[in-house]
Amino acid sequence: RIEIKGKRNAVTTRRVAKVGMVAGGSGITPMLQIVRDALKDPEDRTTWSIIFANQTEEDILCRDILEEIAQNDKVSVFYTLDRPTSSWTGGSG
């Protein structure tokens, strides 16, 4: 369920099947809050896709939490790095 604030602060609620998120660096924390909260509702069938960009692999914040929630069939996480090492198997650029 997504709530959208419109004209004169009127709030509209919509159910959606898929949500895509793009985050970089510390911007992942609000995304994690939203996804974790949504996953608490067993009736919610929304699927979540997260693209998380960082400079280096060492810069990936909350990686353990992201990998834990990615075990859920409703969540996919894709990492991309600006400066990957030669052994990096995720995205780059």
Side-chain angles (χ1 to χ4, degrees):
R1 189 181 78 176
I2 303 289
E3 292 183 356
I4 303 166
K5 190 179 278 190
K7 292 181 181 179
R8 297 186 180 162
N9 292 325
V11 176
T12 303
T13 301
R14 296 184 183 175
R15 291 218 178 262
V16 296
K18 299 178 182 181
V19 175
M21 300 176 151
V22 178
S26 61
I28 195 64
T29 54
M31 306 298 178
L32 278 173
Q33 290 175 336
I34 294 166
V35 174
R36 290 171 101 181
D37 190 59
L39 292 176
K40 290 178 186 175
D41 181 359
E43 302 296 316
D44 189 341
R45 301 287 179 236
T46 306
T47 59
W48 301 84
S49 299
I50 302 169
I51 298 173
F52 188 25
N54 287 276
Q55 291 290 313
T56 67
E57 188 170 5
E58 292 77 31
D59 294 334
I60 299 174
L61 299 175
C62 305
R63 189 173 189 174
D64 55 337
I65 297 169
L66 286 162
E67 291 179 2
E68 179 183 322
I69 65 168
Q71 297 301 312
N72 188 306
D73 291 341
K74 297 188 286 186
V75 180
S76 66
V77 179
F78 181 77
Y79 302 100
T80 184
L81 301 177
D82 285 341
R83 295 180 292 166
T85 61
S86 59
S87 61
W88 177 250
T89 59
S92 65

